[in-house]
Amino acid sequence: MAAVEPPPPPTPTPEPNMNLREDHPNPTPLYTRIRLATPSDIPFIHKLIHQMAVFEKLTHLFQATESSLSSTLFNSPPFQSFTVFLLEVSSTPLSLHHSPTLSLFQPIHKTLQIPPSNSISDSEELLFRTDEGATIAGFVLFFPNYSSFLAKPGFYIEDVFVRECYRRRGLGGFLMRAVANQAVKLGYGRVEWCVLDWNVNAINFYKKIGADVMQEWRICRLTGDSLLSYGQPNY
Amino acid sequence: MAAVEPPPPPTPTPEPNMNLREDHPNPTPLYTRIRLATPSDIPFIHKLIHQMAVFEKLTHLFQATESSLSSTLFNSPPFQSFTVFLLEVSSTPLSLHHSPTLSLFQPIHKTLQIPPSNSISDSEELLFRTDEGATIAGFVLFFPNYSSFLAKPGFYIEDVFVRECYRRRGLGGFLMRAVANQAVKLGYGRVEWCVLDWNVNAINFYKKIGADVMQEWRICRLTGDSLLSYGQPNY
């Protein structure tokens, strides 16, 4: 599924959630970090993709297992094929140095001044707790695509997802921007993703950051039995 | 640019071009072969992409050079990243064994019973002549994409192009089918591409082969100065 979570505009100085303000008159910092995922993050990635399927009411299409993710992700160096960034959050500062993939990608840190949501379920939080004591709040899955006119690679963002209790804080935009930033670093020509045509909030955000929404193009998808049938070597 | 050439349905027993029938009462065989491109094919690929830009009236977007293609293609083993199949045609049988990439991909042969078009320009033909004496008639450029719900790779077809004098013979479909065939061989979950919403002939063909045309999704593209600006490390 393509980037369906409508990321609100990134908010360098975010407004506190007004509903929570009375309970939390003094917003505390929320430390966030985007880092490369590693094979040991597969259980987190699996749970996040499942939550995305639930959010999109598409659980009937959800077939991923930890094993199938494990055998299809992390087979190439990051950025050369399917790549996952994880978003971590913590109420205490996140280490600037602890990251198994530090040499491949310098994690991006950002501190938000937003009170923690009071809707966070402790039992769900535990499922997303890292060894370092941070919490996995979301992810972005992307991979290289190619423009033959530019003769340059780009990135295609397949998924952006932020867990429900961490939404409306600009974190989806934070993840997308990390991909755009990496594309610029590598001298790539484009970043592309998809949006549903009725998702006006997301479309407005994408236009605001300068993206073109291609009105005339339609994606064609050949899958399942149709693919098996058409793809037979029967020339 | 995505698969814009509207491939007519593959025709196992193609009808001769009626306009040419009087001139060519006895159709002669046209031997065709799809094989993996190699770095030495860059000049062909460059000319084909340029012809595609002319065909799409998008030459103002065409920036590819042989050098930029050379530095961005063929950096990974075929199918793991950007991959090009070339379509060769010849009036004499094409070798079943001569191919520098035989171990990576078994070329696909097909013989058509269609008279050669009389609109072929000899000077242009020379530009597309291979060492073996065949003629490059078209290409498909594709690369892996990923479905997180399936936890499976797929292929995304970025370009399908057949030179004008070889169109209307099902060769665009032949190229697409070679990609679908490779996806099936590798156990991949999907083949995807794009089509312009007004290209009714192409859409009908794609539906006929079993593809879903996703009506609600729109592609968003961040490129040029907008990408440079949004992708700055300014969190």
Side-chain angles (χ1 to χ4, degrees):
Chain A
M1 293 292 101
V4 291
E5 205 256 336
T11 45
T13 311
E15 288 184 352
N17 183 329
M18 299 309 284
N19 294 330
L20 297 173
R21 201 159 195 174
E22 287 176 26
D23 299 334
H24 301 275
N26 297 312
T28 50
L30 183 69
Y31 299 93
T32 73
R33 173 170 70 182
I34 290 174
R35 66 164 172 86
L36 268 176
T38 70
S40 65
D41 293 311
I42 289 278
F44 295 134
I45 296 170
H46 185 246
K47 286 184 196 78
L48 288 166
I49 295 172
H50 183 258
Q51 286 202 349
M52 189 171 66
V54 172
F55 174 73
E56 296 179 14
K57 298 184 174 54
L58 292 174
T59 47
H60 57 289
L61 300 179
F62 177 78
Q63 299 176 22
T65 62
E66 290 189 15
S67 165
S68 61
L69 289 168
S70 187
S71 63
T72 52
L73 298 175
F74 307 110
N75 293 327
S76 299
F79 311 120
Q80 293 182 25
S81 184
F82 320 129
T83 304
V84 177
F85 281 159
L86 287 178
L87 169 68
E88 293 171 308
V89 300
S90 174
S91 58
T92 55
L94 288 155
S95 161
L96 292 173
H97 305 295
H98 174 80
S99 170
T101 55
L102 204 59
S103 64
L104 299 165
F105 176 74
Q106 187 76 38
I108 303 168
H109 291 256
K110 186 176 180 179
T111 306
L112 306 180
Q113 295 295 335
I114 300 178
S117 164
N118 53 6
S119 68
I120 297 176
S121 137
D122 285 345
S123 62
E124 191 190 304
E125 281 299 273
L126 279 178
L127 295 175
F128 288 98
R129 188 64 47 89
T130 70
D131 291 344
E132 204 194 343
T135 301
I136 304 290
F139 80 111
V140 57
L141 189 154
F142 60 106
F143 47 78
N145 64 5
Y146 192 77
S147 161
S148 42
F149 282 3
L150 301 177
K152 275 187 184 179
F155 280 135
Y156 183 83
I157 299 176
E158 177 68 20
D159 303 308
V160 183
F161 182 75
V162 174
R163 288 174 53 214
E164 191 172 2
C165 49
Y166 293 105
R167 283 183 207 146
R168 311 185 70 79
R169 299 175 183 194
L171 293 171
F174 185 33
L175 282 162
M176 292 187 71
R177 196 163 187 170
V179 177
N181 178 230
Q182 187 64 21
V184 170
K185 270 190 199 165
L186 294 171
Y188 284 7
R190 292 174 178 170
V191 175
E192 293 180 306
W193 62 93
C194 277
V195 66
L196 285 161
D197 65 346
W198 47 258
N199 195 343
V200 178
N201 285 346
I203 289 173
N204 286 341
F205 168 66
Y206 298 149
K207 286 183 175 169
K208 195 175 159 190
I209 66 173
D212 293 321
V213 181
M214 321 287 275
Q215 292 301 339
E216 289 191 318
W217 291 97
R218 296 291 174 274
I219 298 161
C220 301
R221 175 178 295 170
L222 191 61
T223 188
D225 289 343
S226 298
L227 173 60
L228 288 177
S229 165
Y230 185 65
Q232 285 310 304
N234 176 28
Y235 296 96
Chain B
M1 292 293 101
V4 292
E5 206 255 338
T11 46
T13 312
E15 289 184 353
N17 183 328
M18 300 308 285
N19 294 331
L20 297 173
R21 200 159 197 175
E22 286 177 28
D23 299 333
H24 301 275
N26 298 314
T28 50
L30 184 69
Y31 300 93
T32 73
R33 175 170 67 183
I34 290 173
R35 65 164 172 87
L36 267 176
T38 70
S40 66
D41 293 312
I42 289 278
F44 295 134
I45 296 169
H46 184 247
K47 286 185 195 77
L48 289 166
I49 295 172
H50 183 257
Q51 287 202 350
M52 188 172 67
V54 172
F55 174 74
E56 296 179 14
K57 299 185 172 52
L58 292 174
T59 47
H60 57 289
L61 299 180
F62 177 78
Q63 299 177 21
T65 62
E66 290 190 13
S67 165
S68 60
L69 288 169
S70 188
S71 62
T72 51
L73 298 175
F74 306 110
N75 292 329
S76 299
F79 311 121
Q80 292 182 24
S81 183
F82 320 129
T83 303
V84 177
F85 281 158
L86 287 177
L87 169 68
E88 294 172 309
V89 301
S90 173
S91 59
T92 56
L94 288 155
S95 162
L96 292 173
H97 305 293
H98 173 81
S99 170
T101 55
L102 204 58
S103 64
L104 299 166
F105 176 74
Q106 187 76 38
I108 303 168
H109 291 256
K110 186 177 180 179
T111 306
L112 306 180
Q113 295 294 337
I114 300 179
S117 163
N118 54 7
S119 68
I120 297 177
S121 139
D122 285 344
S123 63
E124 190 189 305
E125 281 300 272
L126 280 177
L127 295 175
F128 288 98
R129 188 66 45 90
T130 70
D131 292 343
E132 203 195 343
T135 302
I136 304 290
F139 80 111
V140 57
L141 188 154
F142 59 105
F143 48 79
N145 63 6
Y146 192 77
S147 161
S148 42
F149 282 5
L150 301 178
K152 274 189 184 179
F155 280 135
Y156 183 83
I157 300 177
E158 177 68 20
D159 303 308
V160 183
F161 182 76
V162 174
R163 289 173 51 214
E164 190 172 3
C165 50
Y166 293 106
R167 283 182 207 148
R168 310 187 68 80
R169 298 172 185 197
L171 292 171
F174 185 33
L175 282 163
M176 291 187 71
R177 196 163 186 169
V179 178
N181 180 228
Q182 187 65 21
V184 170
K185 270 189 199 166
L186 295 171
Y188 285 6
R190 292 174 178 169
V191 175
E192 294 180 305
W193 62 92
C194 276
V195 66
L196 285 160
D197 64 345
W198 47 258
N199 195 342
V200 178
N201 286 346
I203 288 172
N204 287 341
F205 168 67
Y206 298 149
K207 285 183 176 170
K208 196 176 156 190
I209 65 173
D212 293 321
V213 181
M214 321 287 276
Q215 292 302 337
E216 290 191 316
W217 292 98
R218 297 290 174 272
I219 298 161
C220 301
R221 176 178 293 170
L222 192 62
T223 188
D225 289 342
S226 299
L227 174 59
L228 290 176
S229 164
Y230 185 64
Q232 285 309 306
N234 175 28
Y235 296 97

